[in-house]
Amino acid sequence: MSLIPSLNGKAEVLIGGASRGIGLALCAALLARDDVAKVWGVSRNATGNGDLALLARHHRERLVLMDCDARDEQALAALAAGLAQTCAHLHLVISTLGILHQEGAKAEKSLAQLDLAGLQASFATNAFAPILLLKHLLPLLRNAPATFAALSARVGSIGDNRLGGWYSYRASKAALNQLLHTASIELRRLNPAATVLALHPGTTDTQLSRPFQGNVPAGKLFDPGFAAQCVIEQVGRLGPAESGGFWAWDGRAIEW
Ligand SMILES: NC(=O)c1ccc[n+]([C@@H]2O[C@H](COP(=O)([O-])OP(=O)(O)OC[C@H]3O[C@@H](n4cnc5c(N)ncnc54)[C@H](OP(=O)(O)O)[C@@H]3O)[C@@H](O)[C@H]2O)c1
């Protein structure tokens, strides 16, 4: 299957959130493909990350590491300007940017645990950073088939919310979904060959999920390599006709 629908030739790909978890596994899986020319791996300290350095040693100039705090709009503008010097078009951008219990964000169980700082931290990384990444990369997504996929989460679905809890994570992912859906409408006008997707990768064994894995049924916790392959399968399957949708790792649509 082609990396994204209608891809002609080899792809230039950017992974936002490349340093660990699903993003790191995506970098490895993409670099193993013949139809990927180059991967731009972005995180706050990508150039100082040991796992990315190992990948770069193996794949040399096919992996370019760039440092950027995606909550900082000036840093995003600088990232886009730096990229534009050597890259004419990005065929695929995957944002894995997300926090649940780190950096001031909290997996709240009750209203009493909710506070402004936690809400702001969750929204800054989970909703604002991915859409501002799309804003700044837009000039590189305009003239040929291009997919922008952001990792959302099933718990961001309002229709699927029967358990409650995780106020700020749920709400920030719901906000991300709305932002992506809105962007898909604008991109349809700017580039009919563009696709914008919100993807749920499945519960995956990473730093983000580690404190909450006790409730995951046996056999239902994915390893990052499997989650990455599922994400790649979905970006290969879903094209402009599906743009603006919210999809799970297994290809099933998720209700808003
Ligand atoms: N794991 C799961 O079970 C699960 C389930 C559903 C959805 N998801 C979603 O899938 C995505 C990936 O999750 P994961 O489990 O792989 O998480 P993870 O292991 O914690 O990785 C998160 C990545 O995001 C980067 N990042 C965070 N804040 C950043 C910032 N301000 N600027 C630049 N990069 C930043 C991190 O890099 P640095 O910290 O090095 O900058 C890291 O590379 C998240 O959006 C998560 O919500 C995960």
Side-chain angles (χ1 to χ4, degrees):
M1 191 196 287
S2 134
L3 181 65
I4 60 166
S6 311
L7 176 69
N8 252 334
K10 294 195 176 201
E12 306 254 341
V13 182
L14 184 141
I15 303 298
S19 65
R20 61 174 184 270
I22 301 168
L24 178 65
L26 278 167
C27 289
L30 290 163
L31 287 162
R33 293 177 64 115
D34 291 337
D35 57 357
V36 171
K38 194 173 265 189
V39 173
W40 311 84
V42 180
S43 64
R44 281 168 291 189
N45 185 24
T47 55
N49 179 278
D51 293 317
L52 285 171
L54 267 181
L55 268 184
R57 209 165 298 147
H58 190 66
H59 294 282
R60 298 179 180 274
E61 66 282 352
R62 287 182 66 225
L63 176 61
V64 181
L65 302 177
M66 299 180 90
D67 298 339
C68 174
D69 185 336
R71 296 166 302 179
D72 174 348
E73 204 175 348
Q74 282 183 350
L76 285 171
L79 173 81
L83 263 170
Q85 288 178 4
T86 49
C87 175
H89 181 76
L90 286 168
H91 301 88
L92 174 62
V93 176
I94 304 178
S95 164
T96 78
L97 303 168
I99 52 171
L100 170 54
H101 55 90
Q102 307 101 315
E103 300 170 32
K106 283 184 275 182
E108 311 94 349
K109 289 187 176 152
S110 63
L111 282 169
Q113 294 174 351
L114 193 63
D115 60 38
L116 184 60
L119 279 161
Q120 284 172 334
S122 298
F123 273 74
T125 301
N126 296 344
F128 305 155
I131 202 69
L132 290 171
L133 179 69
L134 173 54
K135 168 190 160 176
H136 286 281
L137 296 181
L138 190 57
L140 296 173
L141 298 168
R142 287 190 70 152
N143 299 316
T147 294
F148 183 94
L151 299 192
S152 181
R154 187 187 295 279
V155 297
S157 163
I158 295 172
D160 190 62
N161 183 358
R162 288 170 191 91
L163 287 176
W166 291 16
Y167 283 84
S168 52
Y169 187 73
R170 284 184 187 277
S172 60
K173 291 294 191 181
L176 170 66
N177 291 348
Q178 176 69 286
L179 290 164
L180 293 168
H181 184 79
T182 304
S184 76
I185 295 167
E186 182 177 346
L187 259 78
R188 194 165 292 146
R189 289 195 293 266
L190 299 175
N191 177 4
T195 304
V196 179
L197 303 170
L199 296 179
H200 167 61
T203 305
T204 305
D205 182 11
T206 66
Q207 188 172 308
L208 180 143
S209 67
R210 210 146 285 149
F212 312 100
Q213 292 176 1
N215 296 330
V216 182
K220 297 279 186 204
L221 184 66
F222 297 163
D223 75 60
F226 178 76
Q229 283 304 341
C230 293
V231 167
I232 290 170
E233 204 177 310
Q234 297 316 316
V235 298
R237 196 179 67 81
L238 301 165
E242 291 80 32
S243 188
F246 183 20
W247 306 88
W249 60 276
D250 57 1
R252 283 191 262 185
I254 302 176
E255 62 183 319
W256 297 116

